Amino acid sequence: DIQMTQSPSSLSASVGDRVTITCRASHSVGRYLSWYQQKPGKAPKLLIYSASYLQSGVPSRFSGTGSDIDFTLTISSLQPEDFATYSCHQSYTSPGTFGPGTKVDI
Amino acid sequence: EVQLVESGGGLERPGRSLRLSCVASGFIFDDYAMHWVRQVPGKGLEWVSSISWDSRSTDYADSVKGRFTVSRDNAKNSLYLQMNSLRTEDSALYYCAKDFGSSVLRHNYFDYWGQGTLVSISS
């Protein structure tokens, strides 16, 4: 199985900050990498697919880059509604595997 | 509006069975593959199972293979997960998720999720 790691596991930031979260795969996943946002008590929400494509309706302050092993999710200017947990997911091969998540709080 | 509503969770003893259901609306159900993803409260997400639009292809996490069976009824816009030989480690919130754009099991993303149904396995 492909293992996904994320760093940091948590971070504290302020409104307006630029936030970067890293996801690393144990083997190349090409660009079959997505990012999900999850708020407490809510279902995950797809933000980014195919490493860098913004899901419809997701604000443009979110962006994704990377390929093969290393990927990054960036929030250019953190907004109050962005405080949540962010998880990456590879769908290059089965089983699809999620990263452990990065909690972004104030 | 896409809606996914799960049901069937509850408290059950180890070794017993549960059947989860997910009723979909707001999209053409048989155009998409569907998925089950679980999450222990406070922990990360774990993919459980997937099924293609026509039920010809199914896939399972090793942790549930041989015990869980995914199925769907396109006429009823419904997805199911039959969970047999339940273990304490199966306790989690189970989400039903719609595939982003594929009808088959390949490079899948999950664009809509239900609110989940909670499964608790304890003696």
Side-chain angles (χ1 to χ4, degrees):
Chain A
D1 297 2
I2 295 178
Q3 308 303 316
M4 307 300 291
T5 58
Q6 288 182 233
S7 61
S9 57
S10 65
L11 67 91
S12 295
S14 300
V15 172
D17 283 354
R18 182 181 183 88
V19 169
T20 298
I21 298 168
T22 296
C23 175
R24 174 164 286 184
S26 60
H27 301 279
S28 174
V29 299
R31 291 179 57 83
Y32 295 107
L33 190 286
S34 52
W35 289 96
Y36 296 86
Q37 176 195 65
Q38 189 175 24
K39 298 180 181 179
K42 300 295 185 182
K45 173 186 176 182
L46 177 64
L47 298 177
I48 301 283
Y49 63 95
S50 298
S52 62
Y53 291 85
L54 197 66
Q55 168 66 337
S56 176
V58 174
S60 59
R61 62 181 179 272
F62 291 92
S63 63
T65 60
S67 64
D68 295 325
I69 292 175
D70 290 315
F71 301 86
T72 299
L73 174 70
T74 299
I75 309 172
S76 60
S77 178
L78 199 66
Q79 297 302 299
E81 60 269 30
D82 300 337
F83 292 96
T85 297
Y86 295 85
S87 301
C88 60
H89 174 257
Q90 69 81 16
S91 56
Y92 176 74
T93 188
S94 179
T97 43
F98 288 90
T102 295
K103 184 177 181 181
V104 177
D105 59 21
I106 300 174
Chain B
E1 179 192 6
V2 172
Q3 284 196 321
L4 299 168
V5 180
E6 303 96 333
S7 62
L11 176 62
E12 190 52 269
R13 298 192 183 280
R16 302 292 292 269
S17 299
L18 280 173
R19 189 193 195 207
L20 306 185
S21 299
C22 170
V23 178
S25 60
F27 65 101
I28 301 173
F29 185 69
D30 54 7
D31 273 356
Y32 297 94
M34 295 293 294
H35 312 276
W36 289 100
V37 177
R38 69 185 180 185
Q39 184 175 38
V40 175
K43 302 296 184 182
L45 298 161
E46 180 189 15
W47 169 78
V48 174
S49 182
S50 298
I51 186 167
S52 62
W53 73 277
D54 59 359
S55 303
R56 287 190 174 186
S57 296
T58 59
D59 198 10
Y60 301 92
D62 284 348
S63 58
V64 307
K65 199 171 293 182
R67 300 187 299 121
F68 290 11
T69 302
V70 63
S71 62
R72 63 191 293 164
D73 184 337
N74 289 343
K76 295 183 178 180
N77 285 357
S78 293
L79 174 71
Y80 306 102
L81 187 67
Q82 178 67 43
M83 309 164 65
N84 298 334
S85 303
L86 285 162
R87 304 169 180 170
T88 55
E89 55 264 36
D90 295 321
S91 297
L93 185 63
Y94 283 72
Y95 292 106
C96 159
K98 170 188 169 291
D99 196 272
F100 171 60
S102 180
S103 59
V104 298
L105 304 188
R106 183 173 175 82
H107 306 317
N108 302 104
Y109 305 117
F110 317 125
D111 63 346
Y112 287 94
W113 301 59
Q115 286 305 301
T117 186
L118 187 62
V119 171
S120 297
I121 309 301
S122 174
S123 54

